Amino acid sequence: MNDTFMKTRPVFPLLLSMALPNVISMLVNSLYNIVDSLFVAQISEQAMTALSLVFPIQNFVNAVAIGFGIGINAQIALYLGAGDHENANRAATHGMMFSLLHGVLGMVLCIAIMPGFLRRFTTDPALVDMGVTYSTIVFLFSLVNMADLAFEKIFQSVGRMNVAMVALITGCVTNIALDPVLIFGLGPVPALGIAGAALATGIGQAVSLVVYLYVYCTTEIAVRFSRRCLRFDAALDGKLYAIGVPAILNLALPSLLVTFLNGLLAVYSQSYVTVLGIYYKLQTFLYLPANGIVQGMRPLVGYNYGAREHGRVSKLYNLTLGLSAGIMAIGTLLCLTIAGPLMGLFTSNPETIAIGQAALRIICLGFIVSAVSTTSSGALEGLGKGVPSLVISLCRYIIFIIPIAWVLCGRMGPTGVWHAFWITEALSAVIAYAVYHKAVHQK
């Protein structure tokens, strides 16, 4: 396979060709998340609240899968850019092996802790039962999910974005089609309620994995798994985790943040917890197209950095920043103009809609400037600089927002939590810009 196109094609069409399949994938995935939540919301608002409470742990498992996948992606791209195909194969093999191990550990640990975790946020036994039912089924598919996302990052690292797009879309369509059948029952299939939503999610992930396995086994790809590459390699494994662990923390930090904010908001009303959960569902739709562009950029900056094409790295960063900011501007406009209808998609409770409408109009003030942080983090991960990327995420999810939300909540009530979002994005953008430029100019 000829992978040199990543350093020879003009930057703008190259980025679009790599990013567009990701953007389409992310939009489909966003649609799936929203449709999935719409079906769950039809069960009851209590079911929607159960999903909101499970979200932090579910997001953490996905963070491990995607974050370590970013380590695999970056290492393969750097090796291919330097022309080292042997180590690229070794990185892919070791990456998949550790991903499968993560899946087993995640399944066992998450199923074990969920009952106690849910009881920290509600005393309603029915709500706890719904959360345990949903999470147990979802986490039984952790091994499938880990392998699925490792394949996604491997195919992206070699420029095979279309394969990742087809696999994700196939899984999402399967999930959407199965949701009404399994949740509400159809013909001989009994109504499973919230358990049906979880089962549809797991089956969708399994279908995506089948697509990856079929393509891997029937077509040529620039990296291949090999038994001889399984030999212990402390240096390589250290590099995978040096990039993967900060990326995991980058993605897992929102789970810690949501858990903290749920604790602040639950004191006032369960409606505020529901609104926060709905916001993160909508945020998926708003942020993932921009993240799709960042995903397209990541292997390109890694490959060109490995090939010492530093001018192209700079052009890719600036172009990604501009495109991401444009997408976030559209998201801001939507939240300012149709916040009420957006909340109404998930709940018919007038109090929840009113709270959510006010929340969206405040939070969205930080959307555009957040493009600086997301682009800088993605570029640093692609360059193999996991720690500077982690610094940016720590600012966004811990250092700034937690104390700001705590102080403002004490002074303004729940509204202070919503203001903490945009204030944090503005402060983090300044830090992100400085951290990125310092890191890329270090020898």
Side-chain angles (χ1 to χ4, degrees), residues 30-39 281-282 285 345-346:
S30 301
L31 176 63
Y32 142 68
N33 280 321
I34 288 178
V35 171
D36 192 54
S37 297
L38 289 175
F39 283 121
K281 292 289 184 182
L282 289 171
F285 182 77
L345 291 172
F346 301 93

Side-chain angles (χ1 to χ4, degrees), residues 246-319:
I248 290 169
L249 293 175
N250 286 346
L251 294 164
L253 288 174
S255 296
L256 177 61
L257 174 62
V258 170
T259 302
F260 174 79
L261 295 181
N262 279 342
L264 288 180
L265 296 170
V267 174
Y268 296 92
S269 168
Q270 198 69 48
S271 293
Y272 289 102
V273 175
T274 302
V275 165
L276 186 66
I278 293 173
Y279 162 68
Y280 274 102
K281 292 289 184 182
L282 289 171
Q283 185 200 58
T284 299
F285 182 77
L286 296 170
Y287 270 89
L288 282 185
N291 287 342
I293 296 175
V294 172
Q295 284 193 29
M297 170 197 66
R298 191 182 288 123
L300 294 176
V301 297
Y303 189 101
N304 283 278
Y305 192 74
R308 300 186 181 277
E309 295 284 347
H310 300 296
R312 286 172 65 84
V313 170
S314 179
K315 289 179 181 178
L316 286 163
Y317 172 84
N318 292 328
L319 183 57

Side-chain angles (χ1 to χ4, degrees), residues 169-180:
I169 290 176
T170 304
C172 288
V173 170
T174 300
N175 194 337
I176 291 172
L178 288 177
D179 264 337

Side-chain angles (χ1 to χ4, degrees), residues 50 118-119 122 124-136 194:
L118 292 168
R119 292 190 187 99
T122 179
D124 185 343
L127 195 56
V128 172
D129 287 343
M130 293 179 79
V132 169
T133 298
Y134 178 83
S135 61
T136 299
I194 198 168

Side-chain angles (χ1 to χ4, degrees), residues 7 14 32 67 71 82 93 98 130 185 187-188 208 227-228 245 269 277 279 344 356 391 430 437:
K7 71 173 182 179
L14 175 62
Y32 142 68
T93 304
F98 283 116
M130 293 179 79
S208 292
R227 286 184 180 179
R228 63 186 178 83
V245 169
S269 168
Y279 162 68
V391 169
V430 176
H437 283 277

